[in-house]
């Protein structure tokens, strides 16, 4: 069984495209930027990037009532701190947009007004009866039994979210470039022709990198050879 770290590390352009598609569909149905990222993250987590819907076109693990059409599948839940395998009836939908619409109608009241992704994800996990921040409504129950659900949803959103790659190319944190140190005049650290000749022609000796000056001495054989190799006469 793959770990979540392995799941998150398998970043591909196809996965970014899936995330962007779900996010865009949620936005078209009126989701806020934060809620759209949470919705896209949940769909990726619940279906393995769209590969394994829990029911027909069910991208959010929504359970079906006894009167609703659904698909019975084996799933795992956390009960009493332990992972247990059980069978559950998952709701069937006509298409992805219908799945998103149902997800929003049942759960987006909890994330309304959330200040960020983590806040929205935490609100989804509020237990039944808990007050929704900034609202008079109370939670009808937690979204998932997984105690790590908030961190998983948040991690996916941070990596792929907020239109991270509108073109469908996965996002990646770009390293901050380290400014190149300016070479000391005459230094052999960056042996271009100009710098080598500046050091050796008429100023032989050891370079003091603090002052940029040379202490006089005779050329060593390698320095003489290098001087000539760079065009000295």
């Amino acid at each position: 069984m793959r770990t979540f770290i392995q799941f998150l590390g398998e970043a591909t352009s196809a996965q970014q495209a899936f995330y962007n598609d779900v996010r865009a569909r949620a936005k078209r149905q009126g989701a806020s930027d934060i809620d759209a990222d949470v919705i896209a993250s949940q769909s990726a987590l619940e279906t393995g990037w769209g590969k394994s819907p829990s029911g027909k076109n069910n991208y959010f693990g929504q359970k079906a009532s006894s009167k609703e059409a659904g698909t019975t599948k084996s799933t795992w839940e956390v009960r009493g701190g332990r992972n247990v395998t059980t069978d559950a009836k998952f709701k069937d939908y006509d298409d992805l947009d219908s799945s998103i619409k149902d997800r929003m109608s049942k759960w987006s009241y909890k994330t309304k007004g959330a200040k960020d992704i983590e806040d929205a994800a935490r609100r989804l996990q509020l237990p039944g009866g808990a007050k929704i921040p900034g609202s008079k409504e109370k939670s009808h129950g937690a979204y998932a039994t997984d105690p790590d659900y908030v961190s998983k949803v948040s991690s996916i959103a941070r990596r792929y979210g907020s239109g991270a790659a509108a073109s469908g190319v996965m996002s990646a944190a770009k390293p901050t470039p380290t400014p190149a140190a300016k070479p000391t005049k005459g230094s052999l650290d960056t042996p271009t022709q100009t710098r080598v000749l500046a050091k050796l022609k008429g100023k032989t000796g050891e370079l003091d990198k603090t002052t940029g000056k040379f202490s006089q001495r005779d050329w060593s054989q390698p320095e003489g050879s290098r001087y000539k190799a760079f065009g000295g006469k």
Side-chain angles (χ1 to χ4, degrees), residues 21-232:
D21 180 46
V22 174
R23 186 181 189 280
R25 289 170 184 266
K27 286 286 291 179
R28 286 196 292 269
Q29 294 196 41
S32 66
D33 286 336
I34 290 174
D35 202 23
D37 275 321
V38 171
I39 288 170
S41 299
Q42 286 184 280
S43 66
L45 180 60
E46 296 284 352
T47 67
W49 302 104
K51 295 179 180 179
S52 303
S54 50
K56 181 182 177 183
N57 293 312
N58 188 331
Y59 287 77
F60 301 95
Q62 299 278 24
K63 302 288 179 58
S65 69
S66 58
K67 297 181 179 180
E68 291 177 319
T71 301
T72 300
K73 285 188 175 182
S74 178
T75 185
W76 69 271
E77 296 181 351
V78 179
R79 296 177 183 174
R82 299 179 63 183
N83 291 352
V84 296
T85 301
T86 184
D87 290 334
K89 183 182 177 183
F90 294 93
K91 190 173 179 178
D92 290 338
Y93 297 91
D94 292 333
D95 50 36
L96 171 56
D97 286 325
S98 298
S99 184
I100 293 172
K101 182 178 180 180
D102 194 41
R103 153 60 180 81
M104 291 177 63
S105 68
K106 291 181 178 178
W107 297 94
S108 289
Y109 78 96
K110 298 179 73 172
T111 58
K112 184 178 181 180
K115 61 183 180 180
D116 53 35
I117 298 294
E118 287 78 6
D119 184 31
R122 281 193 298 270
R123 291 178 180 215
L124 288 176
Q125 289 297 85
L126 289 173
K131 188 177 183 301
I132 308 299
S135 169
K136 295 181 180 180
E137 295 188 78
K138 293 184 178 181
S139 169
H140 69 279
Y143 194 98
T145 60
D146 183 357
D148 297 322
Y149 197 75
V150 172
S151 62
K152 290 177 180 179
V153 169
S154 300
S155 295
I156 295 171
R158 283 194 297 268
R159 180 154 189 168
Y160 295 89
S162 297
S167 63
V169 179
M170 69 177 176
S171 64
K174 296 182 179 179
T176 303
T178 302
K182 294 183 179 180
T184 305
K185 186 176 180 180
S187 172
L188 281 174
D189 292 340
T190 50
T192 63
Q193 181 174 353
T194 302
R195 291 193 181 101
V196 171
L197 294 181
K199 174 179 178 180
L200 298 177
K201 188 175 183 180
K203 285 189 178 182
T204 60
E206 297 295 331
L207 173 66
D208 184 332
K209 293 186 178 181
T210 302
T211 64
K213 296 180 180 180
F214 292 93
S215 59
Q216 297 296 314
R217 64 165 174 75
D218 293 334
W219 275 350
S220 67
Q221 185 174 352
E223 286 175 326
S225 299
R226 198 169 195 179
Y227 173 69
K228 292 180 181 180
F230 277 89

